[in-house]
Amino acid sequence: MNIWFILTGFVIGALLGSLVKALADRSLSKRSFWGRSYCTFCKKNLHWYDLFPIISFLILRGRCRYCHKKISIEYLLVEVVLGALVAVTFWQSFPSFQPVSSFQFLLKIFDLLFKTFFITVLSVLILTDIKKMFIPDRVVLPAIVIGFLLSLGLTIYKISYLYYYLNQTPIGRLLLPPKSDYFLRHAIYNASPLLSGVLMAVIIGGFFMSLIIITKGKGMGGGDVKLGAFMGLMLGFPQALIAIILSFLSGAIFSIILIILGRKHFGQSIPFGPFLVIGSLAVIFWGEQILNWYLHLSI
Ligand SMILES: [Zn+2]
Protein backbone atom coordinates (compact mmCIF):
# COMPACT_ATOMS: atom_id res chain seq x y z
CA MET A 1 0.00 0.00 0.00
CA ASN A 2 2.65 2.43 1.12
CA ILE A 3 4.89 1.69 -1.86
CA TRP A 4 2.02 2.28 -4.32
CA PHE A 5 1.30 5.60 -2.69
CA ILE A 6 4.96 6.65 -3.05
CA LEU A 7 5.08 5.36 -6.65
CA THR A 8 2.00 7.44 -7.45
CA GLY A 9 3.91 10.44 -6.10
CA PHE A 10 6.84 9.60 -8.37
CA VAL A 11 4.67 9.32 -11.50
CA ILE A 12 2.89 12.60 -10.73
CA GLY A 13 6.27 14.24 -10.08
CA ALA A 14 7.74 12.93 -13.36
CA LEU A 15 4.73 14.28 -15.29
CA LEU A 16 5.16 17.62 -13.53
CA GLY A 17 8.88 17.41 -14.38
CA SER A 18 8.15 17.50 -18.10
CA LEU A 19 5.79 20.42 -17.49
CA VAL A 20 8.55 22.20 -15.52
CA LYS A 21 11.09 21.71 -18.31
CA ALA A 22 8.63 22.95 -20.94
CA LEU A 23 7.70 26.04 -18.88
CA ALA A 24 11.38 26.83 -18.19
CA ASP A 25 12.41 26.38 -21.86
CA ARG A 26 9.49 28.42 -23.17
CA SER A 27 10.15 31.18 -20.62
CA LEU A 28 13.80 31.40 -21.66
CA SER A 29 13.05 31.42 -25.40
CA LYS A 30 10.11 33.82 -24.86
CA ARG A 31 7.70 31.38 -26.48
CA SER A 32 4.01 31.01 -25.66
CA PHE A 33 3.10 28.51 -22.91
CA TRP A 34 0.32 27.26 -25.16
CA GLY A 35 0.70 25.25 -28.32
CA ARG A 36 2.25 21.85 -28.93
CA SER A 37 5.80 20.78 -28.22
CA TYR A 38 8.05 20.26 -31.20
CA CYS A 39 11.59 19.06 -31.81
CA THR A 40 13.95 22.05 -31.67
CA PHE A 41 15.98 20.62 -34.59
CA CYS A 42 13.48 19.37 -37.18
CA LYS A 43 10.47 21.37 -35.84
CA LYS A 44 8.25 18.31 -36.11
CA ASN A 45 5.31 18.30 -33.71
CA LEU A 46 5.76 15.71 -30.97
CA HIS A 47 3.04 13.20 -30.11
CA TRP A 48 1.95 12.26 -26.63
CA TYR A 49 3.94 9.02 -26.84
CA ASP A 50 7.10 11.04 -27.56
CA LEU A 51 6.48 13.15 -24.47
CA PHE A 52 5.90 10.43 -21.90
CA PRO A 53 8.19 11.38 -19.01
CA ILE A 54 11.35 9.30 -18.52
CA ILE A 55 10.02 6.31 -20.53
CA SER A 56 9.95 8.09 -23.93
CA PHE A 57 13.49 9.33 -23.38
CA LEU A 58 14.72 5.83 -22.53
CA ILE A 59 12.86 4.10 -25.39
CA LEU A 60 14.11 6.65 -27.94
CA ARG A 61 17.58 6.47 -26.32
CA GLY A 62 17.66 10.25 -25.95
CA ARG A 63 17.14 10.96 -29.64
CA CYS A 64 14.36 12.59 -31.67
CA ARG A 65 12.09 9.94 -33.24
CA TYR A 66 12.05 11.84 -36.55
CA CYS A 67 15.47 13.42 -37.14
CA HIS A 68 17.46 11.30 -34.65
CA LYS A 69 19.28 14.34 -33.24
CA LYS A 70 20.33 14.05 -29.62
CA ILE A 71 17.85 15.38 -27.04
CA SER A 72 19.36 17.12 -23.99
CA ILE A 73 19.77 14.81 -20.98
CA GLU A 74 18.24 17.66 -18.98
CA TYR A 75 14.74 16.41 -19.84
CA LEU A 76 15.45 13.08 -18.21
CA LEU A 77 17.17 14.69 -15.20
CA VAL A 78 14.37 17.17 -14.49
CA GLU A 79 11.73 14.42 -14.74
CA VAL A 80 13.66 12.07 -12.43
CA VAL A 81 14.44 14.81 -9.87
CA LEU A 82 10.83 16.08 -9.79
CA GLY A 83 9.59 12.50 -9.55
CA ALA A 84 11.90 11.91 -6.58
CA LEU A 85 10.96 15.18 -4.82
CA VAL A 86 7.22 14.56 -5.12
CA ALA A 87 7.69 10.90 -4.10
CA VAL A 88 9.47 12.07 -0.92
CA THR A 89 6.63 14.54 -0.26
CA PHE A 90 4.12 11.69 -0.55
CA TRP A 91 6.25 9.41 1.61
CA GLN A 92 6.65 12.06 4.33
CA SER A 93 2.91 12.58 4.55
CA PHE A 94 2.14 8.86 4.61
CA PRO A 95 2.92 8.00 8.28
CA SER A 96 0.27 10.48 9.36
CA PHE A 97 -2.03 9.50 6.52
CA GLN A 98 -4.58 7.70 8.65
CA PRO A 99 -7.62 9.90 8.28
CA VAL A 100 -10.08 9.88 11.16
CA SER A 101 -12.66 11.79 9.17
CA SER A 102 -13.25 12.85 5.59
CA PHE A 103 -12.47 16.38 6.78
CA GLN A 104 -8.97 15.43 7.90
CA PHE A 105 -8.49 13.30 4.79
CA LEU A 106 -9.24 16.31 2.60
CA LEU A 107 -6.83 18.43 4.64
CA LYS A 108 -4.08 15.86 4.00
CA ILE A 109 -4.81 15.80 0.27
CA PHE A 110 -4.79 19.57 0.25
CA ASP A 111 -1.43 19.71 2.05
CA LEU A 112 0.04 17.40 -0.61
CA LEU A 113 -1.41 19.51 -3.41
CA PHE A 114 -0.05 22.69 -1.83
CA LYS A 115 3.49 21.29 -1.41
CA THR A 116 3.54 19.71 -4.89
CA PHE A 117 2.45 23.01 -6.45
CA PHE A 118 5.16 24.87 -4.50
CA ILE A 119 7.89 22.39 -5.54
CA THR A 120 6.80 22.58 -9.21
CA VAL A 121 6.97 26.38 -9.36
CA LEU A 122 10.31 26.48 -7.50
CA SER A 123 11.75 23.99 -10.02
CA VAL A 124 10.82 26.16 -13.01
CA LEU A 125 12.38 29.23 -11.37
CA ILE A 126 15.63 27.52 -10.37
CA LEU A 127 16.11 26.36 -13.99
CA THR A 128 15.55 29.79 -15.54
CA ASP A 129 17.61 31.59 -12.89
CA ILE A 130 20.62 29.26 -13.17
CA LYS A 131 20.63 29.49 -16.96
CA LYS A 132 20.01 33.17 -17.57
CA MET A 133 19.64 34.83 -14.13
CA PHE A 134 16.02 35.31 -15.07
CA ILE A 135 12.86 34.83 -13.01
CA PRO A 136 9.93 35.02 -15.45
CA ASP A 137 7.00 37.20 -14.39
CA ARG A 138 4.57 34.99 -16.28
CA VAL A 139 5.48 32.10 -13.98
CA VAL A 140 6.04 33.77 -10.61
CA LEU A 141 3.12 36.23 -10.75
CA PRO A 142 0.39 33.66 -11.56
CA ALA A 143 2.04 31.39 -8.96
CA ILE A 144 1.58 34.08 -6.28
CA VAL A 145 -2.11 34.46 -7.26
CA ILE A 146 -2.71 30.68 -7.32
CA GLY A 147 -0.85 30.20 -4.00
CA PHE A 148 -3.00 32.91 -2.41
CA LEU A 149 -6.23 31.41 -3.80
CA LEU A 150 -5.27 27.92 -2.59
CA SER A 151 -4.56 29.24 0.89
CA LEU A 152 -7.76 31.31 0.89
CA GLY A 153 -9.80 28.33 -0.30
CA LEU A 154 -8.42 26.12 2.45
CA THR A 155 -9.13 28.78 5.09
CA ILE A 156 -12.73 29.20 3.93
CA TYR A 157 -13.18 25.42 3.87
CA LYS A 158 -11.86 25.00 7.42
CA ILE A 159 -13.93 27.83 8.85
CA SER A 160 -17.16 26.79 7.11
CA TYR A 161 -16.61 23.20 8.22
CA LEU A 162 -16.25 24.38 11.82
CA TYR A 163 -19.47 26.38 11.53
CA TYR A 164 -21.33 23.46 9.99
CA TYR A 165 -19.98 21.08 12.64
CA LEU A 166 -20.99 23.32 15.57
CA ASN A 167 -24.37 24.11 14.06
CA GLN A 168 -25.34 20.41 14.04
CA THR A 169 -25.85 20.00 17.79
CA PRO A 170 -27.62 22.10 20.44
CA ILE A 171 -24.40 22.29 22.48
CA GLY A 172 -22.42 23.30 19.41
CA ARG A 173 -24.88 26.08 18.64
CA LEU A 174 -24.15 27.55 22.08
CA LEU A 175 -20.58 28.12 20.88
CA LEU A 176 -21.68 30.18 17.90
CA PRO A 177 -22.06 33.96 18.01
CA PRO A 178 -23.72 35.87 19.51
CA LYS A 179 -23.80 33.43 22.47
CA SER A 180 -20.06 32.82 22.55
CA ASP A 181 -16.84 34.02 20.93
CA TYR A 182 -15.59 30.39 20.65
CA PHE A 183 -16.35 30.19 16.93
CA LEU A 184 -14.76 33.55 16.22
CA ARG A 185 -11.55 32.69 18.08
CA HIS A 186 -11.22 29.39 16.23
CA ALA A 187 -12.01 31.04 12.90
CA ILE A 188 -9.13 33.46 13.48
CA TYR A 189 -6.89 30.56 14.49
CA ASN A 190 -7.79 28.74 11.25
CA ALA A 191 -7.08 31.85 9.22
CA SER A 192 -3.64 32.36 10.79
CA PRO A 193 -1.65 30.37 8.15
CA LEU A 194 -3.15 32.57 5.42
CA LEU A 195 -2.59 35.76 7.41
CA SER A 196 0.99 34.85 8.35
CA GLY A 197 1.68 33.89 4.71
CA VAL A 198 0.48 37.27 3.43
CA LEU A 199 2.41 39.06 6.18
CA MET A 200 5.63 37.15 5.39
CA ALA A 201 5.17 37.84 1.65
CA VAL A 202 5.01 41.58 2.36
CA ILE A 203 7.92 41.52 4.83
CA ILE A 204 10.29 39.44 2.67
CA GLY A 205 9.33 41.25 -0.53
CA GLY A 206 9.85 44.59 1.24
CA PHE A 207 13.16 43.46 2.76
CA PHE A 208 14.53 42.37 -0.64
CA MET A 209 13.27 45.58 -2.21
CA SER A 210 15.15 47.65 0.39
CA LEU A 211 18.30 45.54 -0.24
CA ILE A 212 18.04 46.41 -3.94
CA ILE A 213 17.71 50.11 -3.14
CA ILE A 214 20.63 50.05 -0.64
CA THR A 215 22.98 48.06 -2.91
CA LYS A 216 21.74 49.90 -6.04
CA GLY A 217 20.64 46.66 -7.70
CA LYS A 218 23.85 44.69 -7.22
CA GLY A 219 23.37 41.06 -6.28
CA MET A 220 19.61 41.06 -6.30
CA GLY A 221 16.92 41.85 -8.82
CA GLY A 222 13.18 42.37 -9.10
CA GLY A 223 12.72 38.64 -9.74
CA ASP A 224 14.13 37.86 -6.30
CA VAL A 225 11.57 40.23 -4.74
CA LYS A 226 8.72 38.31 -6.36
CA LEU A 227 10.22 34.92 -5.56
CA GLY A 228 10.77 36.05 -1.93
CA ALA A 229 7.15 37.17 -1.69
CA PHE A 230 5.99 33.83 -3.13
CA MET A 231 8.10 31.95 -0.55
CA GLY A 232 6.68 34.06 2.27
CA LEU A 233 3.13 33.39 1.11
CA MET A 234 3.62 29.63 0.78
CA LEU A 235 5.70 29.02 3.92
CA GLY A 236 4.36 31.56 6.41
CA PHE A 237 5.92 32.24 9.80
CA PRO A 238 8.46 31.05 10.98
CA GLN A 239 9.21 28.65 8.09
CA ALA A 240 9.72 31.43 5.54
CA LEU A 241 12.28 33.12 7.82
CA ILE A 242 14.20 29.86 8.23
CA ALA A 243 14.19 29.42 4.44
CA ILE A 244 15.57 32.93 3.94
CA ILE A 245 18.33 32.39 6.53
CA LEU A 246 19.27 29.07 4.87
CA SER A 247 19.33 30.81 1.47
CA PHE A 248 21.75 33.49 2.65
CA LEU A 249 23.93 30.88 4.39
CA SER A 250 24.10 28.53 1.39
CA GLY A 251 24.66 31.45 -0.98
CA ALA A 252 27.55 32.73 1.17
CA ILE A 253 29.15 29.29 1.46
CA PHE A 254 28.83 28.71 -2.29
CA SER A 255 30.36 32.15 -3.08
CA ILE A 256 33.30 31.52 -0.74
CA ILE A 257 33.96 28.16 -2.40
CA LEU A 258 33.88 29.79 -5.86
CA ILE A 259 36.29 32.52 -4.71
CA ILE A 260 38.68 29.96 -3.15
CA LEU A 261 38.59 27.93 -6.36
CA GLY A 262 39.36 31.12 -8.27
CA ARG A 263 36.19 30.82 -10.36
CA LYS A 264 34.80 34.16 -9.23
CA HIS A 265 36.25 37.26 -7.64
CA PHE A 266 34.85 39.15 -4.68
CA GLY A 267 31.84 41.32 -5.48
CA GLN A 268 30.95 39.48 -8.68
CA SER A 269 27.27 38.61 -8.67
CA ILE A 270 25.78 35.14 -8.88
CA PRO A 271 22.03 34.46 -9.16
CA PHE A 272 20.39 34.39 -5.72
CA GLY A 273 17.17 32.66 -6.84
CA PRO A 274 18.66 29.11 -6.74
CA PHE A 275 19.59 29.59 -3.08
CA LEU A 276 16.08 30.82 -2.29
CA VAL A 277 14.79 27.65 -3.93
CA ILE A 278 17.24 25.45 -2.01
CA GLY A 279 16.29 27.15 1.29
CA SER A 280 12.59 26.62 0.53
CA LEU A 281 13.04 22.95 -0.38
CA ALA A 282 15.03 22.35 2.81
CA VAL A 283 12.17 23.83 4.83
CA ILE A 284 9.51 21.81 2.96
CA PHE A 285 11.31 18.55 3.68
CA TRP A 286 13.05 19.19 7.03
CA GLY A 287 11.28 22.28 8.38
CA GLU A 288 10.31 20.69 11.68
CA GLN A 289 13.73 19.15 12.30
CA ILE A 290 15.49 22.45 11.54
CA LEU A 291 13.15 24.34 13.87
CA ASN A 292 13.58 21.80 16.69
CA TRP A 293 17.34 21.86 16.28
CA TYR A 294 17.38 25.64 16.43
CA LEU A 295 15.10 25.78 19.49
CA HIS A 296 17.39 23.30 21.28
CA LEU A 297 20.39 25.46 20.44
CA SER A 298 18.83 28.57 21.93
CA ILE A 299 17.83 26.95 25.23
ZN1 LIG B 1 13.78 16.14 -34.55
Side-chain angles (χ1 to χ4, degrees):
M1 178 55 204
N2 198 348
I3 190 75
W4 288 111
F5 186 64
I6 295 167
L7 259 176
T8 308
F10 185 83
V11 172
I12 292 173
L15 284 165
L16 289 171
S18 59
L19 175 73
V20 161
K21 179 76 173 117
L23 289 179
D25 284 353
R26 289 176 184 217
S27 296
L28 290 174
S29 57
K30 312 261 184 250
R31 269 161 55 210
S32 163
F33 285 164
W34 312 106
R36 290 177 59 177
S37 299
Y38 55 82
C39 168
T40 46
F41 301 107
C42 64
K43 311 283 181 226
K44 244 199 156 72
N45 275 335
L46 299 176
H47 294 284
W48 63 269
Y49 48 78
D50 299 322
L51 295 165
F52 218 78
I54 301 174
I55 295 170
S56 290
F57 191 96
L58 295 178
I59 289 176
L60 297 169
R61 296 205 186 122
R63 284 172 192 278
C64 169
R65 184 191 299 276
Y66 310 99
C67 67
H68 306 291
K69 285 257 169 57
K70 256 201 156 131
I71 306 167
S72 163
I73 187 99
E74 239 180 76
Y75 289 90
L76 183 67
L77 285 178
V78 173
E79 286 158 7
V80 170
V81 169
L82 254 287
L85 290 180
V86 176
V88 171
T89 311
F90 273 52
W91 170 65
Q92 280 194 335
S93 80
F94 190 78
S96 55
F97 213 103
Q98 284 149 346
V100 188
S101 65
S102 58
F103 172 71
Q104 283 174 330
F105 180 75
L106 269 173
L107 287 189
K108 275 283 159 206
I109 295 288
F110 185 88
D111 187 52
L112 267 182
L113 177 75
F114 199 71
K115 280 184 182 160
T116 306
F117 166 72
F118 192 30
I119 292 169
T120 306
V121 175
L122 291 176
S123 307
V124 178
L125 301 181
I126 197 174
L127 284 178
T128 58
D129 208 23
I130 285 178
K131 284 197 174 159
K132 288 198 179 159
M133 287 184 77
F134 171 57
I135 291 176
D137 274 352
R138 58 187 177 132
V139 174
V140 71
L141 293 181
I144 290 174
V145 174
I146 294 169
F148 176 76
L149 291 178
L150 282 176
S151 198
L152 181 69
L154 178 68
T155 308
I156 292 172
Y157 173 66
K158 284 198 288 193
I159 293 175
S160 36
Y161 182 84
L162 177 68
Y163 187 87
Y164 163 82
Y165 185 78
L166 292 176
N167 205 19
Q168 271 181 327
T169 61
I171 298 174
R173 279 194 283 276
L174 289 176
L175 299 172
L176 292 175
K179 294 195 182 74
S180 158
D181 65 348
Y182 176 93
F183 171 74
L184 212 65
R185 277 189 287 118
H186 282 74
I188 293 170
Y189 173 77
N190 280 321
S192 60
L194 172 66
L195 298 177
S196 97
V198 171
L199 196 67
M200 288 312 296
V202 172
I203 291 175
I204 294 171
F207 174 58
F208 284 4
M209 192 84 92
S210 57
L211 281 183
I212 292 178
I213 294 169
I214 292 167
T215 61
K216 296 192 178 71
K218 277 180 203 152
M220 215 178 256
D224 297 312
V225 174
K226 293 162 207 157
L227 172 53
F230 179 57
M231 283 168 64
L233 181 69
M234 298 300 283
L235 293 171
F237 181 82
Q239 288 83 348
L241 278 189
I242 300 172
I244 295 294
I245 293 168
L246 291 176
S247 311
F248 276 106
L249 276 179
S250 54
I253 293 170
F254 188 75
S255 301
I256 291 168
I257 292 173
L258 284 186
I259 291 168
I260 291 173
L261 292 176
R263 299 278 295 271
K264 295 260 176 187
H265 55 79
F266 193 75
Q268 199 175 352
S269 64
I270 52 169
F272 188 52
F275 300 104
L276 290 173
V277 171
I278 289 167
S280 301
L281 290 177
V283 167
I284 294 174
F285 293 119
W286 303 293
E288 255 168 63
Q289 287 93 320
I290 296 170
L291 196 62
N292 285 339
W293 172 76
Y294 180 77
L295 291 176
H296 275 286
L297 274 189
S298 54
I299 284 169

